[in-house]
Amino acid sequence: KAGVTQTPRYLIKTRGQQVTLSCSPISGHRSVSWYQQTPGQGLQFLFEYFSETQRNKGNFPGRFSGRQFSNSRSEMNVSTLELGDSALYLCASSSGLYQETQYFGPGTRLLVL
Amino acid sequence: GQNIDQPTEMTATEGAIVQINCTYQTSGFNGLFWYQQHAGEAPTFLSYNVLDGLEEKGRFSSFLSRSKGYSYLLLKELQMKDSASYLCAVSGNSGYSTLTFGKGTMLLVSP
């Protein structure tokens, strides 16, 4: 089975712009979770989508949003970018069943200038 | 809320054994995961503990004590390729796929 894929892998934006990141889960997986990873804060949970519905949300401002399509692919969007949004954005897929293991994609490294 | 603590850095020698500790304080707990992350790469799954005790998987073992809010990852016969960050993550009681991660322990294995 192919693993989790994320596009793009690298991105440079300027403050105030918006960005859309994409994640394709492992075939058959219906849950996609998004995380932000920074050196200071580590991995922090953004949100989780299951069957096109947001099931859970972390403590991030409303500038961070996401969605999931019928084929389980997911996108996250960050509007009005700030310098502090520079990070590695990771998505993870799982079956969505209780306590199933999450498998991570390679991430999108976002640099905001 | 959830609070997960693990050491920031550890060093060890090739062939040795190292134990990476993780303590957690959570409002709900259903299980604990360990992931390995090499620099510039995605985290990869190592182990999952839901019941007290030791889970062994090759050179890696993970232990959990729910009453003490404590886990450790034991790496035996260390190899240079084990140099990586090791992430402890707790699954809460929401029943959904949400993990709260510690900040990771950077392990450096030297010859």
Side-chain angles (χ1 to χ4, degrees):
Chain A
K1 268 188 182 177
V4 180
T5 59
Q6 291 186 245
T7 56
R9 293 293 311 279
Y10 303 93
L11 207 50
I12 300 176
K13 292 285 187 179
T14 56
R15 279 181 299 174
Q17 287 187 308
Q18 74 166 22
V19 66
T20 299
L21 312 180
S22 180
C23 172
S24 293
I26 292 170
S27 178
H29 283 185
R30 296 165 65 190
S31 168
V32 173
S33 298
W34 288 90
Y35 295 85
Q36 181 195 66
Q37 187 173 34
T38 59
Q41 297 299 317
L43 265 158
Q44 292 186 290
F45 172 72
L46 282 157
F47 29 66
E48 185 228 355
Y49 286 87
F50 179 79
S51 292
E52 302 179 66
T53 300
Q54 186 181 88
R55 268 202 312 199
N56 211 346
K57 189 177 187 305
N59 295 322
F60 278 81
R63 299 185 298 108
F64 292 82
S65 63
R67 60 179 175 168
Q68 187 179 34
F69 302 94
S70 58
N71 62 357
S72 294
R73 188 177 70 86
S74 177
E75 289 182 346
M76 69 163 278
N77 184 276
V78 188
S79 62
T80 320
L81 284 166
E82 301 177 359
L83 296 179
D85 297 333
S86 294
L88 180 66
Y89 290 88
L90 292 159
C91 81
S93 82
S94 74
S95 65
L97 301 177
Y98 186 73
Q99 298 302 326
E100 285 295 304
T101 299
Q102 294 186 36
Y103 297 92
F104 284 84
T108 295
R109 188 164 295 280
L110 172 65
L111 177 62
V112 182
L113 301 175
Chain B
Q2 318 253 54
N3 187 43
I4 301 171
D5 289 316
Q6 42 181 139
T8 304
E9 291 181 353
M10 297 183 71
T11 58
T13 307
E14 201 173 11
I17 299 173
V18 70
Q19 178 174 310
I20 302 174
N21 296 324
C22 172
T23 58
Y24 61 89
Q25 296 170 322
T26 60
S27 56
F29 177 86
N30 281 308
L32 189 142
F33 292 81
W34 284 96
Y35 283 83
Q36 179 193 60
Q37 186 177 26
H38 285 100
E41 297 182 11
T44 55
F45 169 75
L46 289 178
S47 69
Y48 172 55
N49 292 72
V50 62
L51 300 175
D52 286 0
L54 188 68
E55 296 279 343
E56 297 187 78
K57 191 184 294 185
R59 293 189 300 115
F60 292 5
S61 303
S62 57
F63 172 83
L64 175 66
S65 169
R66 294 176 67 130
S67 61
K68 295 182 179 178
Y70 168 68
S71 173
Y72 67 73
L73 181 69
L74 192 70
L75 291 75
K76 303 175 187 175
E77 301 169 14
L78 280 173
Q79 302 174 9
M80 298 294 288
K81 67 178 182 180
D82 297 329
S83 292
S85 181
Y86 291 85
L87 306 168
C88 170
V90 169
S91 176
N93 59 0
S94 69
Y96 300 138
S97 303
T98 301
L99 296 178
T100 302
F101 282 84
K103 293 188 178 180
T105 298
M106 181 64 67
L107 174 66
L108 177 61
V109 180
S110 57

